[in-house]
Amino acid sequence: MSGQNDIYGGASGDKPVDRKSIVAGAPAKTEKAQPDAKPVKTNKAQADAKPASAKKPAKAAPKDHGKVDDLKEIKGVGPKLEGLLREHGVTRFSQIAEWGEDEMDHFAELIGRMGSRIRSDDWVGQARTLAQGGETEFSKRVGKGDVY
């Protein structure tokens, strides 16, 4: 090994190369000495900024944490989907009523093959009606016990 790069020793004086990285095709990890790094100062706006590519999470639950709505009153939301929504912090019609495209896409992805029901059954429109104390034909049927 006379100063040539190879997978076993690297160039003379270098640390050994990570063989697993080479086999996997990933770049080898190397340790670099850091000079006395000074902390980077950021202003509050930079610290609070979110990356543009990050998906928005669901709207947080309202302050009256004890009260939850029967999300099954929304056509297309059965017991399993209601459970999934609650696991992700969605417990009120008002939360769904405020969903935009990002939230609908996020939950459609979580739901999987049935995710298109969010738009086709107009969950946001139904939730707006229900959040304002109104009823839909489907919610009336749920209230009578005709569904579930």
Side-chain angles (χ1 to χ4, degrees), residues 35-62:
D36 293 333
K38 295 180 182 176
V40 177
K41 293 182 181 180
T42 58
N43 62 29
K44 180 154 175 53
Q46 288 174 328
D48 292 340
K50 294 179 184 175
S53 64
K55 288 188 177 185
K56 289 183 179 180
K59 305 277 187 206

PDB file of all heavy atoms in Angstrom, residues 35-62:
ATOM      1  N   PRO A  35     -12.536  23.707  13.660  1.00  0.00           N
ATOM      2  CA  PRO A  35     -11.883  24.772  14.411  1.00  0.00           C
ATOM      3  C   PRO A  35     -12.856  25.288  15.452  1.00  0.00           C
ATOM      4  O   PRO A  35     -14.038  24.972  15.413  1.00  0.00           O
ATOM      5  CB  PRO A  35     -11.575  25.827  13.353  1.00  0.00           C
ATOM      6  CG  PRO A  35     -12.512  25.531  12.230  1.00  0.00           C
ATOM      7  CD  PRO A  35     -12.800  24.060  12.297  1.00  0.00           C
ATOM      8  N   ASP A  36     -12.393  26.049  16.367  1.00  0.00           N
ATOM      9  CA  ASP A  36     -13.265  26.575  17.408  1.00  0.00           C
ATOM     10  C   ASP A  36     -14.425  27.305  16.745  1.00  0.00           C
ATOM     11  O   ASP A  36     -14.315  28.463  16.356  1.00  0.00           O
ATOM     12  CB  ASP A  36     -12.499  27.541  18.336  1.00  0.00           C
ATOM     13  CG  ASP A  36     -11.454  26.808  19.151  1.00  0.00           C
ATOM     14  OD1 ASP A  36     -11.666  25.603  19.387  1.00  0.00           O
ATOM     15  OD2 ASP A  36     -10.453  27.429  19.533  1.00  0.00           O
ATOM     16  N   ALA A  37     -15.523  26.576  16.595  1.00  0.00           N
ATOM     17  CA  ALA A  37     -16.684  27.126  15.908  1.00  0.00           C
ATOM     18  C   ALA A  37     -17.448  28.053  16.844  1.00  0.00           C
ATOM     19  O   ALA A  37     -17.654  27.744  18.014  1.00  0.00           O
ATOM     20  CB  ALA A  37     -17.588  26.004  15.435  1.00  0.00           C
ATOM     21  N   LYS A  38     -17.838  29.180  16.303  1.00  0.00           N
ATOM     22  CA  LYS A  38     -18.650  30.120  17.072  1.00  0.00           C
ATOM     23  C   LYS A  38     -20.104  29.876  16.694  1.00  0.00           C
ATOM     24  O   LYS A  38     -20.407  29.585  15.548  1.00  0.00           O
ATOM     25  CB  LYS A  38     -18.253  31.556  16.735  1.00  0.00           C
ATOM     26  CG  LYS A  38     -16.840  31.871  17.162  1.00  0.00           C
ATOM     27  CD  LYS A  38     -16.476  33.281  16.812  1.00  0.00           C
ATOM     28  CE  LYS A  38     -15.024  33.550  17.211  1.00  0.00           C
ATOM     29  NZ  LYS A  38     -14.594  34.872  16.821  1.00  0.00           N
ATOM     30  N   PRO A  39     -20.998  29.991  17.675  1.00  0.00           N
ATOM     31  CA  PRO A  39     -22.408  29.775  17.358  1.00  0.00           C
ATOM     32  C   PRO A  39     -22.893  30.821  16.357  1.00  0.00           C
ATOM     33  O   PRO A  39     -22.494  31.975  16.411  1.00  0.00           O
ATOM     34  CB  PRO A  39     -23.121  29.916  18.697  1.00  0.00           C
ATOM     35  CG  PRO A  39     -22.136  30.503  19.636  1.00  0.00           C
ATOM     36  CD  PRO A  39     -20.779  30.321  19.059  1.00  0.00           C
ATOM     37  N   VAL A  40     -23.735  30.370  15.448  1.00  0.00           N
ATOM     38  CA  VAL A  40     -24.291  31.271  14.451  1.00  0.00           C
ATOM     39  C   VAL A  40     -25.471  31.999  15.074  1.00  0.00           C
ATOM     40  O   VAL A  40     -26.351  31.385  15.672  1.00  0.00           O
ATOM     41  CB  VAL A  40     -24.766  30.468  13.213  1.00  0.00           C
ATOM     42  CG1 VAL A  40     -25.407  31.379  12.193  1.00  0.00           C
ATOM     43  CG2 VAL A  40     -23.599  29.707  12.614  1.00  0.00           C
ATOM     44  N   LYS A  41     -25.475  33.302  14.930  1.00  0.00           N
ATOM     45  CA  LYS A  41     -26.572  34.094  15.477  1.00  0.00           C
ATOM     46  C   LYS A  41     -27.706  34.121  14.462  1.00  0.00           C
ATOM     47  O   LYS A  41     -27.489  34.316  13.278  1.00  0.00           O
ATOM     48  CB  LYS A  41     -26.107  35.511  15.781  1.00  0.00           C
ATOM     49  CG  LYS A  41     -25.104  35.582  16.900  1.00  0.00           C
ATOM     50  CD  LYS A  41     -24.734  37.014  17.178  1.00  0.00           C
ATOM     51  CE  LYS A  41     -23.693  37.076  18.300  1.00  0.00           C
ATOM     52  NZ  LYS A  41     -23.307  38.454  18.591  1.00  0.00           N
ATOM     53  N   THR A  42     -28.909  33.897  14.962  1.00  0.00           N
ATOM     54  CA  THR A  42     -30.083  34.003  14.112  1.00  0.00           C
ATOM     55  C   THR A  42     -31.084  34.904  14.803  1.00  0.00           C
ATOM     56  O   THR A  42     -31.134  34.974  16.025  1.00  0.00           O
ATOM     57  CB  THR A  42     -30.747  32.632  13.874  1.00  0.00           C
ATOM     58  OG1 THR A  42     -31.112  32.071  15.133  1.00  0.00           O
ATOM     59  CG2 THR A  42     -29.814  31.689  13.149  1.00  0.00           C
ATOM     60  N   ASN A  43     -31.875  35.577  14.005  1.00  0.00           N
ATOM     61  CA  ASN A  43     -32.918  36.389  14.620  1.00  0.00           C
ATOM     62  C   ASN A  43     -34.148  35.517  14.829  1.00  0.00           C
ATOM     63  O   ASN A  43     -34.233  34.399  14.340  1.00  0.00           O
ATOM     64  CB  ASN A  43     -33.216  37.643  13.783  1.00  0.00           C
ATOM     65  CG  ASN A  43     -33.742  37.315  12.399  1.00  0.00           C
ATOM     66  OD1 ASN A  43     -34.375  36.288  12.220  1.00  0.00           O
ATOM     67  ND2 ASN A  43     -33.470  38.173  11.434  1.00  0.00           N
ATOM     68  N   LYS A  44     -35.123  36.014  15.549  1.00  0.00           N
ATOM     69  CA  LYS A  44     -36.311  35.234  15.900  1.00  0.00           C
ATOM     70  C   LYS A  44     -37.059  34.786  14.652  1.00  0.00           C
ATOM     71  O   LYS A  44     -37.530  33.664  14.582  1.00  0.00           O
ATOM     72  CB  LYS A  44     -37.228  36.041  16.807  1.00  0.00           C
ATOM     73  CG  LYS A  44     -38.474  35.258  17.202  1.00  0.00           C
ATOM     74  CD  LYS A  44     -39.021  35.726  18.501  1.00  0.00           C
ATOM     75  CE  LYS A  44     -40.315  35.066  18.886  1.00  0.00           C
ATOM     76  NZ  LYS A  44     -40.346  33.654  18.898  1.00  0.00           N
ATOM     77  N   ALA A  45     -37.139  35.626  13.633  1.00  0.00           N
ATOM     78  CA  ALA A  45     -37.851  35.263  12.411  1.00  0.00           C
ATOM     79  C   ALA A  45     -37.188  34.072  11.736  1.00  0.00           C
ATOM     80  O   ALA A  45     -37.860  33.171  11.244  1.00  0.00           O
ATOM     81  CB  ALA A  45     -37.906  36.445  11.448  1.00  0.00           C
ATOM     82  N   GLN A  46     -35.858  34.037  11.731  1.00  0.00           N
ATOM     83  CA  GLN A  46     -35.159  32.907  11.131  1.00  0.00           C
ATOM     84  C   GLN A  46     -35.365  31.646  11.956  1.00  0.00           C
ATOM     85  O   GLN A  46     -35.531  30.564  11.419  1.00  0.00           O
ATOM     86  CB  GLN A  46     -33.665  33.191  11.028  1.00  0.00           C
ATOM     87  CG  GLN A  46     -33.309  34.210   9.978  1.00  0.00           C
ATOM     88  CD  GLN A  46     -31.834  34.557  10.018  1.00  0.00           C
ATOM     89  OE1 GLN A  46     -31.219  34.542  11.085  1.00  0.00           O
ATOM     90  NE2 GLN A  46     -31.276  34.876   8.866  1.00  0.00           N
ATOM     91  N   ALA A  47     -35.349  31.795  13.267  1.00  0.00           N
ATOM     92  CA  ALA A  47     -35.502  30.638  14.148  1.00  0.00           C
ATOM     93  C   ALA A  47     -36.899  30.032  14.023  1.00  0.00           C
ATOM     94  O   ALA A  47     -37.072  28.831  14.112  1.00  0.00           O
ATOM     95  CB  ALA A  47     -35.224  31.017  15.593  1.00  0.00           C
ATOM     96  N   ASP A  48     -37.923  30.881  13.813  1.00  0.00           N
ATOM     97  CA  ASP A  48     -39.292  30.408  13.726  1.00  0.00           C
ATOM     98  C   ASP A  48     -39.678  29.952  12.324  1.00  0.00           C
ATOM     99  O   ASP A  48     -40.712  29.342  12.143  1.00  0.00           O
ATOM    100  CB  ASP A  48     -40.270  31.505  14.168  1.00  0.00           C
ATOM    101  CG  ASP A  48     -40.151  31.806  15.662  1.00  0.00           C
ATOM    102  OD1 ASP A  48     -39.617  30.939  16.389  1.00  0.00           O
ATOM    103  OD2 ASP A  48     -40.580  32.891  16.083  1.00  0.00           O
ATOM    104  N   ALA A  49     -38.850  30.265  11.337  1.00  0.00           N
ATOM    105  CA  ALA A  49     -39.176  29.940   9.952  1.00  0.00           C
ATOM    106  C   ALA A  49     -39.170  28.436   9.743  1.00  0.00           C
ATOM    107  O   ALA A  49     -38.337  27.726  10.268  1.00  0.00           O
ATOM    108  CB  ALA A  49     -38.183  30.612   9.005  1.00  0.00           C
ATOM    109  N   LYS A  50     -40.141  27.968   8.953  1.00  0.00           N
ATOM    110  CA  LYS A  50     -40.220  26.553   8.617  1.00  0.00           C
ATOM    111  C   LYS A  50     -39.726  26.384   7.202  1.00  0.00           C
ATOM    112  O   LYS A  50     -39.925  27.259   6.366  1.00  0.00           O
ATOM    113  CB  LYS A  50     -41.673  26.076   8.698  1.00  0.00           C
ATOM    114  CG  LYS A  50     -42.240  26.120  10.090  1.00  0.00           C
ATOM    115  CD  LYS A  50     -43.669  25.660  10.090  1.00  0.00           C
ATOM    116  CE  LYS A  50     -44.284  25.790  11.466  1.00  0.00           C
ATOM    117  NZ  LYS A  50     -45.686  25.465  11.470  1.00  0.00           N
ATOM    118  N   PRO A  51     -39.113  25.257   6.895  1.00  0.00           N
ATOM    119  CA  PRO A  51     -38.699  25.033   5.519  1.00  0.00           C
ATOM    120  C   PRO A  51     -39.920  25.013   4.604  1.00  0.00           C
ATOM    121  O   PRO A  51     -40.982  24.526   4.976  1.00  0.00           O
ATOM    122  CB  PRO A  51     -38.022  23.669   5.545  1.00  0.00           C
ATOM    123  CG  PRO A  51     -38.017  23.203   6.941  1.00  0.00           C
ATOM    124  CD  PRO A  51     -38.757  24.192   7.783  1.00  0.00           C
ATOM    125  N   ALA A  52     -39.770  25.531   3.407  1.00  0.00           N
ATOM    126  CA  ALA A  52     -40.884  25.625   2.470  1.00  0.00           C
ATOM    127  C   ALA A  52     -41.421  24.257   2.081  1.00  0.00           C
ATOM    128  O   ALA A  52     -42.591  24.112   1.792  1.00  0.00           O
ATOM    129  CB  ALA A  52     -40.450  26.392   1.230  1.00  0.00           C
ATOM    130  N   SER A  53     -40.562  23.237   2.093  1.00  0.00           N
ATOM    131  CA  SER A  53     -40.995  21.918   1.658  1.00  0.00           C
ATOM    132  C   SER A  53     -41.687  21.118   2.761  1.00  0.00           C
ATOM    133  O   SER A  53     -42.247  20.072   2.497  1.00  0.00           O
ATOM    134  CB  SER A  53     -39.794  21.131   1.146  1.00  0.00           C
ATOM    135  OG  SER A  53     -38.882  20.920   2.200  1.00  0.00           O
ATOM    136  N   ALA A  54     -41.648  21.601   3.992  1.00  0.00           N
ATOM    137  CA  ALA A  54     -42.257  20.849   5.093  1.00  0.00           C
ATOM    138  C   ALA A  54     -43.775  20.899   4.978  1.00  0.00           C
ATOM    139  O   ALA A  54     -44.351  21.932   4.711  1.00  0.00           O
ATOM    140  CB  ALA A  54     -41.819  21.417   6.433  1.00  0.00           C
ATOM    141  N   LYS A  55     -44.414  19.746   5.195  1.00  0.00           N
ATOM    142  CA  LYS A  55     -45.868  19.704   5.169  1.00  0.00           C
ATOM    143  C   LYS A  55     -46.412  20.236   6.476  1.00  0.00           C
ATOM    144  O   LYS A  55     -45.844  20.010   7.535  1.00  0.00           O
ATOM    145  CB  LYS A  55     -46.362  18.275   4.963  1.00  0.00           C
ATOM    146  CG  LYS A  55     -46.124  17.769   3.575  1.00  0.00           C
ATOM    147  CD  LYS A  55     -46.791  16.437   3.385  1.00  0.00           C
ATOM    148  CE  LYS A  55     -46.625  15.969   1.970  1.00  0.00           C
ATOM    149  NZ  LYS A  55     -47.342  14.748   1.717  1.00  0.00           N
ATOM    150  N   LYS A  56     -47.523  20.907   6.383  1.00  0.00           N
ATOM    151  CA  LYS A  56     -48.152  21.432   7.586  1.00  0.00           C
ATOM    152  C   LYS A  56     -48.813  20.280   8.336  1.00  0.00           C
ATOM    153  O   LYS A  56     -49.480  19.448   7.734  1.00  0.00           O
ATOM    154  CB  LYS A  56     -49.247  22.441   7.235  1.00  0.00           C
ATOM    155  CG  LYS A  56     -48.749  23.730   6.699  1.00  0.00           C
ATOM    156  CD  LYS A  56     -49.930  24.642   6.462  1.00  0.00           C
ATOM    157  CE  LYS A  56     -49.500  25.982   5.948  1.00  0.00           C
ATOM    158  NZ  LYS A  56     -50.646  26.863   5.718  1.00  0.00           N
ATOM    159  N   PRO A  57     -48.651  20.252   9.653  1.00  0.00           N
ATOM    160  CA  PRO A  57     -49.380  19.246  10.415  1.00  0.00           C
ATOM    161  C   PRO A  57     -50.837  19.664  10.541  1.00  0.00           C
ATOM    162  O   PRO A  57     -51.196  20.777  10.191  1.00  0.00           O
ATOM    163  CB  PRO A  57     -48.682  19.264  11.778  1.00  0.00           C
ATOM    164  CG  PRO A  57     -48.075  20.620  11.867  1.00  0.00           C
ATOM    165  CD  PRO A  57     -47.756  21.039  10.465  1.00  0.00           C
ATOM    166  N   ALA A  58     -51.650  18.789  11.041  1.00  0.00           N
ATOM    167  CA  ALA A  58     -53.054  19.112  11.244  1.00  0.00           C
ATOM    168  C   ALA A  58     -53.188  20.248  12.244  1.00  0.00           C
ATOM    169  O   ALA A  58     -52.329  20.458  13.087  1.00  0.00           O
ATOM    170  CB  ALA A  58     -53.788  17.878  11.769  1.00  0.00           C
ATOM    171  N   LYS A  59     -54.277  20.954  12.125  1.00  0.00           N
ATOM    172  CA  LYS A  59     -54.544  22.030  13.073  1.00  0.00           C
ATOM    173  C   LYS A  59     -54.634  21.434  14.473  1.00  0.00           C
ATOM    174  O   LYS A  59     -55.188  20.364  14.673  1.00  0.00           O
ATOM    175  CB  LYS A  59     -55.876  22.723  12.736  1.00  0.00           C
ATOM    176  CG  LYS A  59     -55.960  23.236  11.315  1.00  0.00           C
ATOM    177  CD  LYS A  59     -55.323  24.563  11.175  1.00  0.00           C
ATOM    178  CE  LYS A  59     -55.580  25.102   9.775  1.00  0.00           C
ATOM    179  NZ  LYS A  59     -54.637  26.000   9.304  1.00  0.00           N
ATOM    180  N   ALA A  60     -54.093  22.141  15.438  1.00  0.00           N
ATOM    181  CA  ALA A  60     -54.090  21.664  16.820  1.00  0.00           C
ATOM    182  C   ALA A  60     -55.513  21.656  17.380  1.00  0.00           C
ATOM    183  O   ALA A  60     -56.379  22.398  16.927  1.00  0.00           O
ATOM    184  CB  ALA A  60     -53.204  22.556  17.681  1.00  0.00           C
ATOM    185  N   ALA A  61     -55.718  20.812  18.363  1.00  0.00           N
ATOM    186  CA  ALA A  61     -57.025  20.725  18.991  1.00  0.00           C
ATOM    187  C   ALA A  61     -57.362  22.039  19.680  1.00  0.00           C
ATOM    188  O   ALA A  61     -56.485  22.708  20.212  1.00  0.00           O
ATOM    189  CB  ALA A  61     -57.036  19.579  20.004  1.00  0.00           C
ATOM    190  N   PRO A  62     -58.618  22.448  19.658  1.00  0.00           N
ATOM    191  CA  PRO A  62     -59.002  23.688  20.308  1.00  0.00           C
ATOM    192  C   PRO A  62     -58.799  23.629  21.815  1.00  0.00           C
ATOM    193  O   PRO A  62     -58.553  22.567  22.378  1.00  0.00           O
ATOM    194  CB  PRO A  62     -60.484  23.840  19.962  1.00  0.00           C
ATOM    195  CG  PRO A  62     -60.901  22.591  19.288  1.00  0.00           C
ATOM    196  CD  PRO A  62     -59.707  21.766  19.009  1.00  0.00           C
TER     197      PRO A  62
END
